[in-house]
Amino acid sequence: MAICSQLEPFLVRSTTMLRVLHIILLFYVRRVLSSHCTTVTTTKTFQKCMSLPTQQASLAWTFYPNNATLDLVFFGNFISPSGWVGWGINPTSPKMTGTRALIAFPDPSSGKVVLLPYILDPSVKLQTSPLLSKPLDIHLVSSSVAMYGGRMATVHSGATVQIFATLKLSSNKTKIHHVWNRGLYVQGYSPTIHPTTVNDLSSITTIDFLSGSLSAHHDNIATLKYVHGIINAISWGLFLPIGTAMARYLRHVQSLRPTWFYAHAGMQLAAFLFGTIGFGIGLRLGVLSPGKVYGLHRTLGFVAFCLGSLQMLALFFRPKTTNKYRKYWKSYHHFVGYGCMVLGVVNVFQGFEVMGLSRSYAKLGYSLCVSSLIGVCIALEVNSWIIFCRRAEEEKLRREGLMGGCGDHGGINHCSTSHS
């Protein structure tokens, strides 16, 4: 009960921090979801634009309600000089099978980018036959393709392509299921299967062109993904290592006793509270995304959460320093704590891969934070070993009668006497 009462201020601070973090997350997510799109191309200017959830793709459009005409451009990126980029709509449901697609790739004969229509029937998913171009059975008024950068632009990994299309929509039907993807190779004029990562399998969304918004389901998933990532990066990826460093490098400073313990316990408790929220959001994402298995990321998350829970239990079953089982508790506490910290940081990096942010500024910023923390820990570790060696040498001299008194290194008093 004494520990709980002393930790009460940290619980209050954690609640306040959670409220502030909630406000920051809402602002950040809105900024992320509304950025990285443009309404301007070299030939047209559109009224609205939107970043799509995966592959750094985006869409810009102008909808004319008087005649139900939709004028749009899709922005996608090649992942290979001999690859393809495709965009299409599914008239019936948000899935790949049944999509009417426009696919751009370099012409095998001339090398210029061409745009051909394809219908993705069930045989495409089963790969029982090559994908052949055929006319689309939708009201496609016109379509064209252009490389970002003008006529001198070439197809290479990372090159942006613009797929233009003008569609005649059915009356009172402004919600359209969009499907997009990209692949590595084209055999003749037949695009081959795309990669099967989580991001590639998630390249589907439903947009209401009249209101300019994603469907509520996809909007919620995208928001939850960013909130899940930010909370877990802060809790498991930063708070937990900082709390561990506090225990290792502050506990030997006499002037900070017992403050270091409450700072350490408060930081770890805040990390676990935020981490539990992030873990719960991850479970919710799994429910909202049936059939999508995150594999390693999911397993590491479960193991880290279990280890974190064990650490919280250790706080309430902490034996006194005079207890004979104290040394076993310390070994268990250290082993589980360091294991949880390492798994947490590793899983944050794995999360960047899952979200397709392996080359993002977010990952760069987090890497800089972790690198700075590691640098500080290395400096403190070196300093602690210097102090330890100095103390050991002084203790050796004291035992041999060459030095007497006491000393002060890192908060511990000492005095020196001359010996004749």
Side-chain angles (χ1 to χ4, degrees):
M1 294 299 295
I3 292 178
C4 293
S5 62
Q6 290 167 332
L7 287 179
E8 185 176 355
F10 293 103
L11 289 172
V12 176
R13 293 176 186 175
S14 299
T15 304
T16 304
M17 290 172 62
L18 182 59
R19 292 174 180 171
V20 174
L21 181 62
H22 176 70
I23 297 173
I24 295 174
L25 287 176
L26 289 178
F27 174 76
Y28 176 79
V29 168
R30 289 175 181 174
R31 286 285 303 273
V32 169
L33 294 177
S34 62
S35 61
H36 306 302
C37 73
T38 179
T39 58
V40 180
T41 67
T42 55
T43 56
K44 290 183 178 181
T45 299
F46 299 88
Q47 291 181 351
K48 298 180 180 180
C49 72
M50 175 182 294
S51 294
L52 298 176
T54 63
Q55 299 181 352
Q56 298 179 330
S58 62
L59 201 68
W61 71 89
T62 299
F63 179 63
Y64 302 95
N66 56 336
N67 58 4
T69 301
L70 177 65
D71 197 12
L72 62 82
V73 58
F74 167 79
F75 298 86
N77 300 316
F78 283 97
I79 56 174
S80 167
S82 57
W84 57 268
V85 175
W87 165 87
I89 63 173
N90 191 317
T92 58
S93 59
K95 59 182 181 179
M96 182 189 75
T97 303
T99 296
R100 276 57 176 169
L102 296 172
I103 301 180
F105 54 86
D107 190 304
S109 303
S110 64
K112 295 182 179 180
V113 178
V114 296
L115 184 69
L116 297 179
Y118 295 85
I119 296 178
L120 308 183
D121 54 37
S123 65
V124 175
K125 193 171 184 178
L126 299 174
Q127 302 182 58
T128 57
S129 60
L131 179 61
L132 302 178
S133 177
K134 60 180 66 175
L136 302 182
D137 55 355
I138 58 175
H139 298 291
L140 180 65
V141 179
S142 64
S143 63
S144 61
V145 64
M147 292 295 296
Y148 181 79
R151 296 182 178 180
M152 300 301 293
T154 58
V155 177
H156 60 272
S157 180
T160 300
V161 64
Q162 302 168 347
I163 298 177
F164 296 86
T166 302
L167 302 167
K168 186 78 172 179
L169 303 183
S170 302
S171 58
N172 299 324
K173 186 178 181 181
T174 58
K175 290 185 177 181
I176 304 296
H177 306 302
H178 292 263
V179 180
W180 65 97
N181 226 306
R182 53 197 183 180
L184 293 169
Y185 304 104
V186 177
Q187 295 179 347
Y189 290 90
S190 298
T192 59
I193 188 170
H194 58 74
T196 55
T197 65
V198 173
N199 276 334
D200 295 305
L201 297 177
S202 304
S203 299
I204 302 171
T205 194
T206 302
I207 301 176
D208 187 339
F209 285 108
L210 190 59
S211 63
S213 62
L214 291 171
S215 66
H217 175 72
H218 290 90
D219 191 29
N220 289 339
I221 290 180
T223 302
L224 285 177
K225 280 184 178 180
Y226 283 107
V227 173
H228 168 74
I230 295 170
I231 289 180
N232 284 337
I234 292 174
S235 58
W236 299 104
L238 289 178
F239 282 5
L240 201 62
I242 291 174
T244 303
M246 285 180 175
R248 179 166 181 81
Y249 300 113
L250 300 182
R251 63 184 302 170
H252 300 294
V253 182
Q254 292 280 5
S255 59
L256 294 180
R257 293 183 179 181
T259 306
W260 75 264
F261 170 74
Y262 300 118
H264 163 69
M267 181 63 71
Q268 301 302 71
L269 183 59
F272 183 72
L273 290 176
F274 290 136
T276 301
I277 295 173
F279 180 76
I281 294 175
L283 295 180
R284 179 59 181 167
L285 284 170
V287 173
L288 294 176
S289 308
K292 297 176 184 177
V293 180
Y294 291 83
L296 180 60
H297 182 62
R298 180 184 178 90
T299 302
L300 290 176
F302 271 101
V303 175
F305 180 75
C306 291
L307 293 179
S309 300
L310 289 175
Q311 284 294 81
M312 290 300 103
L313 290 176
L315 178 66
F316 298 101
F317 295 97
R318 181 170 175 256
K320 295 181 179 180
T321 55
T322 55
N323 192 298
K324 63 179 181 178
Y325 295 107
R326 174 76 175 195
K327 61 180 180 180
Y328 301 110
W329 179 89
K330 286 183 64 176
S331 298
Y332 147 79
H333 187 59
H334 290 171
F335 177 78
V336 175
Y338 283 117
C340 183
M341 179 191 68
V342 172
L343 286 179
V345 173
V346 170
N347 207 27
V348 170
F349 283 105
Q350 183 64 25
F352 282 116
E353 299 295 329
V354 167
M355 294 185 66
L357 300 175
S358 57
R359 296 184 179 181
S360 64
Y361 287 110
K363 183 179 180 181
L364 176 61
Y366 176 72
S367 300
L368 290 175
C369 291
V370 173
S371 300
S372 300
L373 182 59
I374 292 175
V376 171
C377 289
I378 290 175
L380 292 174
E381 187 72 22
V382 171
N383 181 68
S384 63
W385 275 102
I386 292 175
I387 294 175
F388 172 78
C389 293
R390 186 179 300 167
R391 288 174 180 171
E393 183 65 24
E394 290 178 357
E395 183 64 26
K396 180 180 177 182
L397 293 175
R398 196 174 291 116
R399 287 197 305 267
E400 295 175 353
L402 299 177
M403 187 174 183
C406 48
D408 185 359
H409 291 290
I412 299 179
N413 294 327
H414 76 88
C415 41
S416 59
T417 60
S418 60
H419 183 80
S420 58

